[in-house]
Amino acid sequence: MGIVMSEQHLLDYMYVLVFVLVGLAAAVAQVVVSRLFSPPSIQPKTGEPYECGMDPYGSAWGIRFNITYYLYALIFLAFDVDILYLFPVAVAFDTVSGLRGVIELFLFIGILSLAIIYAWAKGVFIWTKKKPAG
Amino acid sequence: MNDVLLTIILIVIKLGLVLGTVLSLAAYMVLAERKVLARMQMRHGPNRVGPFGLLQPLADLIKLLCKEDLIPERADRWVFMLAPAISVGTALLAFAVIPFGAPLQIFGRTIELVICDLNIGLLYLFALSSLAVYGVALGGWASQSKFALLGGLRAMAQMISYELALGLAIVPVVMASKSFSLTAIVASQQSLPNALRHPLAFLIFVIAIMAESKRTPFDMPEAENELVAGYHTEYSGMRFGMFFVGEYVNLIVLGSMLTVLFLGGWHGPFLPSVGWFLIKILAVAFFFIWVRGTVPRLRYDQLMAFGWKILVPLGLLNILVTAVWLLWRG
């Protein structure tokens, strides 16, 4: 039982590392095995992207998609960090003196939800319809 | 020296057992899903390979291994090859911290039935579920196919949105149990499972994991009638198989997360603790399949609006209510 606390932590992460290696090996092994068994049959159209049997039209990396996806990613970035701040608050909640802790939590969450209210008011959550062509 | 050797052997046994169980459970989950869904739709489901179709997963595996492994010409080759591995790897890695039974006593040694009890286990799970987004997003982008790209985009936006709700639902549990360690969280539910103590958080969590797993009614990313197969349209053979297995491993991970955080983990009367844990996971999985057989798909804007306008505010409110409740209880 001579293991020091920090060494114990290192040991824990060693297990995680071993798990990563085993998982990687499993992922690679599947692909290698299928390489050995699968019959390659390259036809002229084999490498084309699937578009329901039509000839592919243009590149997929040039298509336009709704800007809303990007906006969601942006609010997520702002908001997810805030939630990560909530975790230490949650774990140390009982060490803060009662009423003061709760009031601070209310203030923090109040300021935090402004991000959502702002996005809501700006209409981010309304999915804009494409104007009919022509 | 002897002690170290024994520890290493124990770890190897635990690793093998956990990985073996999870992978075979995932394979049979596919069969179970097909069987149960078939029964709900008045069909028989797979029943030709082996008794009751029990060898079907094996047959599927052999078929997938023998299929041609295509990489589209215009795809980003490396990212294309990496994406399924991320998808399956993040799902498998989650099992490193999940406690699946009460500590065992064998030959005077206490064996913890968890691979490693990280003191930040919950954060680790949360981080892995964020990393899982990369698998589908990169897979959809790298294929350079329009269906795959749209599926990947939808999956990305949906998963990050519901991850917020997931995180917010976890906070009250941490507040009550005062720890991120999953073992400690399970131990704190000895008398009463968290589902009864935090019913609102439980509800938010169930909906959020259903959306995280991209299953009906939240399966817009792979909606087959509009997007063919979504982000894995261009994948074939074992690479498709990896996405597929990853999805079912993920289902088991989310089931275990629900079990550990809200359903009392391995606590339960009469049966051994590992048995209770398995029963609870299977019950959650059955519930998921049931929902898939019952509920129609939502529309994408409805889904996002539901996540941001209802689940996230409810989650925030729930944290405040829990704080006040904890203060009032003293």
Side-chain angles (χ1 to χ4, degrees):
Chain A
M1 293 304 289
I3 298 173
V4 194
M5 197 58 196
S6 61
E7 277 185 26
Q8 182 62 45
H9 278 291
L10 275 184
L11 210 61
D12 278 346
Y13 287 103
M14 285 290 287
Y15 299 152
V16 175
L17 192 69
V18 171
F19 222 94
V20 174
L21 293 180
V22 173
L24 265 184
V28 172
Q30 289 173 341
V31 174
V32 170
V33 170
S34 85
R35 261 290 144 77
L36 293 178
F37 286 118
S38 61
S41 153
I42 306 295
Q43 309 284 327
K45 298 259 183 185
T46 305
E48 282 183 2
Y50 176 77
E51 280 186 18
C52 306
M54 315 290 274
D55 284 333
Y57 180 79
S59 157
W61 291 344
I63 64 166
R64 294 180 169 196
F65 52 84
N66 203 321
I67 186 78
T68 319
Y69 289 113
Y70 176 69
L71 292 179
Y72 275 122
L74 269 187
I75 347 172
F76 167 76
L77 265 190
F79 208 70
D80 196 43
V81 179
D82 297 338
I83 288 183
L84 283 184
Y85 280 129
L86 272 177
F87 278 121
V89 172
V91 83
F93 187 68
D94 61 321
T95 60
V96 190
S97 65
L99 192 61
R100 191 179 153 219
V102 173
I103 291 172
E104 280 174 356
L105 192 65
F106 265 80
L107 281 177
F108 183 69
I109 289 184
I111 295 170
L112 214 164
S113 36
L114 284 182
I116 283 199
I117 294 170
Y118 177 75
W120 200 330
K122 281 282 175 185
V124 172
F125 303 138
I126 302 166
W127 205 269
T128 44
K129 285 210 181 79
K130 222 174 171 180
K131 287 194 192 78
Chain B
M1 185 58 215
N2 209 357
D3 206 46
V4 171
L5 200 67
L6 207 60
T7 314
I8 291 175
I9 290 172
L10 269 177
I11 289 302
V12 171
I13 291 175
K14 269 201 273 191
L15 254 175
L17 271 181
V18 169
L19 280 179
T21 316
V22 166
L23 284 175
S24 42
L25 204 62
Y28 275 93
M29 205 75 99
V30 180
L31 179 68
E33 168 144 46
R34 289 173 66 182
K35 276 282 193 192
V36 173
L37 267 187
R39 275 300 173 193
M40 284 177 181
Q41 299 163 351
M42 312 286 235
R43 295 183 285 119
H44 282 281
N47 60 358
R48 283 287 176 268
V49 194
F52 307 109
L54 279 178
L55 295 179
Q56 186 72 41
L58 204 64
D60 284 344
L61 176 73
I62 293 171
K63 187 186 82 177
L64 282 177
L65 279 177
C66 295
K67 287 285 176 191
E68 191 179 359
D69 181 22
L70 284 178
I71 298 178
E73 271 161 21
R74 289 191 258 175
D76 187 324
R77 288 184 72 88
W78 284 103
V79 181
F80 187 83
M81 289 196 273
L82 191 67
I86 296 178
S87 187
V88 95
T90 48
L92 276 180
L93 265 177
F95 279 95
V97 295
I98 288 173
F100 48 90
L104 273 184
Q105 296 279 351
I106 300 179
F107 306 127
R109 285 174 68 97
T110 317
I111 301 170
E112 300 270 351
L113 287 189
V114 51
I115 288 184
C116 58
D117 178 24
L118 293 185
N119 54 0
I120 50 154
L122 203 51
L123 284 182
Y124 173 85
L125 279 183
F126 199 57
L128 278 179
S129 85
S130 304
L131 281 178
V133 180
Y134 280 106
V136 291
L138 290 179
W141 176 79
S143 330
Q144 231 215 93
S145 153
K146 283 153 208 158
F147 293 119
L149 181 71
L150 287 176
L153 274 174
R154 282 190 188 184
M156 188 160 55
Q158 169 179 342
M159 285 169 90
I160 58 177
S161 300
Y162 278 78
E163 211 167 88
L164 295 179
L166 193 82
L168 288 175
I170 292 174
V171 172
V173 175
V174 178
M175 274 163 108
S177 65
K178 306 177 193 81
S179 174
F180 285 131
S181 155
L182 294 178
T183 316
I185 290 175
V186 171
S188 75
Q189 300 177 64
Q190 181 128 36
S191 53
L192 195 66
N194 272 336
L196 298 176
R197 240 180 266 169
H198 309 284
L200 190 57
F202 175 63
L203 201 68
I204 296 172
F205 194 81
V206 169
I207 297 173
I209 60 175
M210 222 175 265
E212 277 290 288
S213 63
K214 303 182 287 298
R215 293 173 59 86
T216 338
F218 303 109
D219 63 342
M220 270 65 64
E222 34 195 304
E224 60 273 10
N225 359 35
E226 38 186 308
L227 286 184
V228 187
Y231 55 88
H232 54 56
T233 303
E234 294 295 335
Y235 284 86
S236 65
M238 207 51 220
R239 278 184 221 283
F240 163 74
M242 268 152 77
F243 267 125
F244 201 63
V245 168
E247 209 165 288
Y248 280 86
V249 172
N250 199 25
L251 185 63
I252 304 174
V253 169
L254 295 170
S256 347
M257 263 173 95
L258 187 66
T259 308
V260 165
L261 294 176
F262 287 99
L263 298 179
W266 32 261
H267 288 304
F270 310 123
L271 288 176
S273 55
V274 181
W276 268 112
F277 191 71
L278 266 179
I279 288 175
K280 284 174 181 174
I281 291 184
L282 292 181
V284 173
F286 177 75
F287 174 71
F288 275 29
I289 296 171
W290 191 4
V291 168
R292 178 168 171 193
T294 316
V295 186
R297 185 180 298 144
L298 287 171
R299 225 169 53 204
Y300 196 74
D301 59 328
Q302 290 172 335
L303 161 96
M304 298 303 274
F306 180 69
W308 284 94
K309 287 186 188 170
I310 298 180
L311 283 189
V312 170
L314 263 186
L316 287 172
L317 197 69
N318 191 30
I319 294 173
L320 294 179
V321 170
T322 313
V324 173
W325 180 64
L326 282 177
L327 176 71
W328 176 70
R329 214 188 45 167

